[in-house]
Amino acid sequence: MSTARGQANHALYLARILLAAWRRDLAAESVANVTLTQAYLPAVREHLGLAYGWFLLEITRPGAAPETPPRCIAHLPGIDEGKAIPGEIREFQKLEQDGWIGDMLAASPARSAAPSPDNLAVVAPIAGPDQSSLWADQLQSVFDRMGDSLDEY
């Protein structure tokens, strides 16, 4: 397993640890859901984004891997001239543009307006542990599927 793939798997593992803690804290009902979402969602999204970025590097295998992974395909190091763009990158481009990866990368951390004296309502968070777990599961599935074909190279 390459260093980039190992880093991707580690970031995904860290996201899953946070998701488990988020669910435990929700079950304890000692802190409001919106507050837990504000605490956990940015960190979970960060780990999922890092996992995705490291896996992008696994696919493209640049000569010298950067210290931090790209945040999206647009931030990937250039592909060598004359080298074909891998099919996995084209698939990820589509998923970033109109799919769940674009949603995962664009999801705002728990948007909630501060309640005003006249209105105590707050806007519900955009993503919670269920959506975040779905993103983690989808990443794992894609990593597994694409990893099999990458291992054949």
Side-chain angles (χ1 to χ4, degrees):
M1 181 180 303
S2 77
T3 301
R5 191 176 320 178
Q7 291 288 351
N9 289 336
H10 183 70
L12 193 54
Y13 175 68
L14 295 176
R16 290 191 187 281
I17 291 171
L18 284 173
L19 284 164
W22 190 354
R23 288 186 191 285
R24 278 191 307 271
D25 286 348
L26 279 172
E29 296 182 353
S30 60
V31 178
N33 182 9
V34 69
T35 305
L36 289 174
T37 301
Q38 290 169 335
Y40 282 108
L41 182 59
V44 169
R45 284 184 60 240
E46 177 68 12
H47 287 299
L48 293 175
L50 288 171
Y52 176 62
W54 284 117
F55 199 77
L56 289 175
L57 290 174
E58 171 66 14
I59 294 167
T60 57
R61 298 180 182 179
E67 288 186 34
T68 58
R71 298 312 234 171
C72 61
I73 288 174
H75 297 146
L76 269 172
I79 294 176
D80 294 336
E81 194 171 319
K83 187 175 178 184
I85 295 174
E88 294 87 356
I89 293 296
R90 288 193 303 277
E91 181 178 340
F92 278 140
Q93 282 174 321
K94 182 166 177 33
L95 289 172
E96 278 187 22
Q97 291 169 356
D98 345 315
W100 61 270
I101 290 180
D103 295 340
M104 179 186 76
L105 297 175
S108 299
R111 283 191 266 169
S112 62
S116 69
D118 298 332
N119 182 1
L120 296 179
V122 293
V123 177
I126 253 183
D130 292 339
Q131 179 61 59
S132 299
S133 291
L134 180 60
W135 289 331
D137 292 344
Q138 289 172 307
L139 275 177
Q140 185 67 64
S141 177
V142 165
F143 290 179
D144 291 345
R145 178 176 51 84
M146 289 183 179
D148 288 343
S149 67
L150 291 172
D151 288 342
E152 292 177 10
Y153 293 124

